[in-house]
Every structure is written in structure tokens, then in C-alpha cells.
Amino acid sequence: MTATTTPAHPPAQSLVRVDKLSRRFDVSPPWITRTLYRQPRRVVRALDEVSFAIQPKRTLGLVGESGCGKSTLARCLAGLMSPSGGTMRYAGKRMDLAAHNDATVRRAVQMVFQDPYASLNPRWSVEESVGDPLRAFDLAKDRKEMRDMVAELMVEVGLSPRDAQKYPHQFSGGQRQRIAVARALASRPEFLICDEPTSALDVSVQAAVLNLMRRLQEEYGLTYLFISHNLTVVDHMSDDVGVMYLGRLVELQPTEALFDAPRHPYTQLLIQTVPSLDTIGRASAPLKGEVPSPLNPPSGCAFNPRCPFANNRCRVERPEATALPGGGMVACHAVEEGRI
Amino acid sequence: MTTSLLDIRNLSVELAHAAPLKVLDGINLHLAPGEILGVVGESGAGKSVTGAAVMRLMTRPLRQSGGEIWFDGTRIDTLPEAQMQRLRGKDIAMIFQDPLTALNPVFTVGQQLIQTIRQHLPLDQAAARARAADLLREVGIPSAEERLENYPHEFSGGMRQRVVIALALAGEPRLIIADEPTTALDVSIQAQIIALLVELTRSRGMSVVLITHDMGVIAEACDRVAVLYAGRLAEVGPVRDVLTAPHHPYTRGLIAAIPRIGARLKELPQIPGTMPRVDALPPGCAFAARCPFVMEHCKTHRPDATPRPDGVQVACWLEEGQ
């Protein structure tokens, strides 16, 4: 059985549904080099047949290390990049670059980026940045109404309406991220893609931004895709959590199940190595090995070189998703065979 | 204290300005041989400046405006630059956050290691080369001998940080200042590097000042921790005491704000407001404006770090029963 659905939730209810989504990047050397030195084309599979569904008003967290395809997935969903294969559906409708030209989908799907220093135009006042979606979707009938709406959004994210006249450099990192959230909210979206929204922030500021995002979710009934490399943050924010490794989704479970009883050996490793306040004086004996290069992924299961449970089958055959009894999936031969 | 390897006494650092701004204000820290001291705080709290001051790597407009830095019984903040340069990289080494910028991209790892080793130790080329390979093995790089011929870009992020650590070990230092050594790395690699640092500290009897913003890293690696706030010391003490029973309201707020796995809080406790800017420090306690226990006295009088019976020092008027 494949995990084209999250079995716990009937697919009809999902707001966002992704089926076997893939994205390949051609990283070949220039053709002249290839011809002269007889080098082959090279392709990176940044995203490899990833499937999941998100129910309305819920949060799907995605964790994984650099290069695992988290951000590629976010960009495909936000319509900033076209997938090479598979389908994305939003409220049952096909969503691809063409659909992103459809203003209703574009308005409904917004994104908050990691670096608030890079995601705001430094030469635009906050009012211009936050007001831009209002203008683009004709949500304000005149300039005065736009100003009022921007002022309202500023208050909503915990800033003062007067701040709208200022420029990004006049704000701290946390305040800038609030502005980025205000801009994402301006078009009254239903689905917010958050790519490492607090990774650039200090813990005390992070707490405030996470609380804000939670409150807004309740207030506006938002659905989140919450991407982070920080497991504690994902645990705090998500209803379900997916774990990615080298472009594949290796495990997807309801948050509590995933953290209480992780099934995939990689998930177990990740949870073990989270630096935690409860492990005082015990630098955890970490698993050896590193994330392999996506340019040259191992055959079979991509995790096999680091996996303590790997056998011959794992080295040649790629594991497919197995549905878990409590809902969710895991892609691991060892789990499927009952070895772990 | 005579047993300290590093003793920072009342250190102040200023940002030269029409009215000089205090970036660090009266920091007292000491470090015993073989100890790992964590320095934690938010961006701009003065963590990195503390490390740079010990190494005397500060450039204008930053300058030390007061206090003393003692290393192994010698006062080093007044040493002539030539002598300081001999100390730097030899007895006191530094590890930076980004391993890609800490290594020279146009030389092989072997060339950089051998040059550093010969700078500090009286070894010939062949002996230095053997030493370089030993160091790479010690930091856990497989096939060390061949890897000497590789350039920094041929290593992964985690391996590159291991090379940087090997480079820091080249002069047989007794003190390493590690400024956010794992911030640029992935979680599973971060755990490896922290474990390596702890292991090296134990096996070599070195001391480490570990500067980080990550309380989790502090918990796992450090013996003692110093919490900085707005250029001042808020709390310092053994890790277990500070993390499990923090005394300073800032430390309490900071620890509460960290999400924990399985906590299932609806809302994270947050500290209202932001850290005051260096040009807008209040006359009293720097944390007064955000403190839930603030008293009138706090707004006008600055608390000094006072030792408690359990060995923790806390700079807070609540501790003094004011």
C-alpha cells in the first residue's frame, strides 16, 4: 500500500493534497565539457515522489536536514517553482503553475520565508510591502482603505499602525518577521507555507512569533505547512509531522505518535540528537556518518549507510511507504519486516 | 583565584562614539583547567565580544575600556602585540561559526595544518605532516593521510568544522574559545561536533569557552554557564543549578521560552519587550523594563553579581532581599 493519503483522515476533507510530487534539477556541466570529457548529464532529485495531505485548519510540520528537499517542496507549493512530476491539489483543484495564475489560488496560498532581512524590500516602506498584496488582488477600493487595512494588520501582528511608515532596517529581526507575517496575511489566505520562520530569531523572540502564528491560526482558521530543522519547534506547532531524508518522505505520523514512538531509524536518530535541557552533562553518543550528497545518493534506501538495521535488501531495494495502524506512514524495510 | 586558567576581572568594552557606549560592562568570569564554560545570551548580548576581547581580536571602534584578563597567572590584556600573537593560536585557540570562511579556500587542508603546526612547534616538514595527519585522525576524519591533499570545498560542512577544530588543536592549546561552533551545522552533525569537543576537552585536559545561543548545547556540553544580558552578567553557575533552578528572572524567562518535546503547551511563555539597545541602557538593572518582579529600586540601582551559598552568582535585587 502506498501512502498517497494519510489514512487517518479521509482524503475528501483535505485542503492540500500532494501526490508523488517530484522535482529534479539538471546540474550537468555545460554541453561543451560533457562532449569534450564525455561526461554524462547529472540530475539531482531534490524531491522524490512525496505524498501527503493536510486537513483544513491543521498544521503539518516537516523536518529534515539541509538538502532534504524541505524548501523545494515549499517553493513548489507556493508556485515559485514548477514540479517535474506528480500532482498538487488545493481544495480538490489541480494546482500547478497555470493554476497559480488563477488569482483565487494565489490569494489563498501565501508564504513566510526564513530570513526577514532578505524577504522584505529594503527600499519599500512597510506600508508598501504589506499593502502590495492588497493592491495586487484589488482588495482595497482606494488608498485610504488600503492604509486602514495595513494599520489593522500591523495591530494584528503586534506592531503599531505608525510603524507602517517606517522602513525594514528600522526594525529588529523579530519585528521584521511580524511584518512578513502581516504581508502574508494581507490577502486573507487560507493556507500559509512557513519555511523556517523562526530559525533566524533568538529564543525569546521565537516564542513570541510562534505564539502569534498560533493565535492567527485560530483566529482566521488558517492551515499551515510548517517547515523547520528544529524538532522542538515542529513538535510545538504541528498536528502531524513528516520527516524527510534526501528528497523522500520517510515517516509521517500524528505529532504525539511520532515523538513518543518514532518508527523510522532516521527519525529515532533525529529525536535522540536534539540538544535538550533535560540531558544535562550528557553529550549524546551520536550516530556516525553524514547526510550523503544528493548528487550521488546511495542505492536502495538512502539512509542505509548510516542505519544500524540495514541489511542487503535495504542496500538495493528502495523502501515504499507502509501505512501505520495509528494513521500515517513509514518507508522502511526493517519496520515492514518487523525487524524493529 | 589562583587555580583559574582564565580569569576575566571586571572587563568592560566600549564602542567608541561621541558618548562611548558600553558593550560589555563589568564582566567577571573564571575558568578552571579542564572546564567547559558556556556563554549564552541573545544576539547583541556581548557573547562574541567577550571571546574577541580574550583573544584581543577586537578592532576599532571596539576597545577594552576597563578590567583585566589573566591567563595562567599572566595578565594578557596589557601584553605587547608581539607576545600576544605568540599566545594566540598556540596557548589560546579559537573556533569560529562558519568553517568555510575560517579556512583558506586556495590552500589544501594539509598545507594549512602544516603551516600552523610549524608556526607554533619546532618541527620539520615531514614531522609536521605526520602531526597534521594525527590531528585529522584525532578529530575523526577517515583516511586522514589522503584527506591532507584535499581543499576545504571538498569536505562536507561537518567534516570542515572538524578540520577547523584540528587547526585549533595544532598549537597544543590549553584554552579554546569556540564561538557558535555548531550553529551552521545540521542537528545530527551538531551532536557529533559537540561530542567531539567534549571528548577532546577530557582527553587533552583543555578548557573551553563555548559561546552559543542554544541552551540545549549548553546543557549537554558545559560544566558551568554564564548568562549575558545587554553586556552584563545576569547569572553564572554550574549548568545543572542554572538550568533546573534559574534564579535571575531573565534566565527563568529564557528557559521557559524554549519549546520542549512532548510539553504540549498551548502557548509558550514569552518575555515581553526586547533587549535594550546599547545606546539606550537604563540606569538601573538592564532587565527592569521586561521583568515581572521589577521593584522601584531596580529602575535606578544596578545589581551586581552576588554569590549565593550554592555557588551560583546572580545579578538581581531579589537575591539581595532589597
Side-chain angles (χ1 to χ4, degrees), chain A residues 164-182:
Chain A
Q165 303 312 320
K166 294 190 194 165
Y167 287 83
H169 73 267
Q170 293 169 287
F171 295 92
S172 68
Q175 290 171 324
R176 276 183 222 211
Q177 201 58 305
R178 286 171 190 269
I179 296 167
V181 171

Side-chain angles (χ1 to χ4, degrees), chain A residues 17-55:
Chain A
R17 218 165 99 89
V18 165
D19 274 309
K20 293 192 182 272
L21 194 71
S22 300
R23 169 73 208 200
R24 293 178 292 273
F25 290 103
D26 189 339
V27 289
S28 312
W31 72 268
I32 186 105
T33 321
R34 292 203 307 272
T35 328
L36 286 176
Y37 302 101
R38 296 177 184 234
Q39 288 180 357
R41 278 194 167 275
R42 302 184 79 181
V43 171
V44 173
R45 289 169 176 274
L47 211 55
D48 197 0
E49 301 197 345
V50 169
S51 307
F52 60 80
I54 314 177
Q55 317 311 128

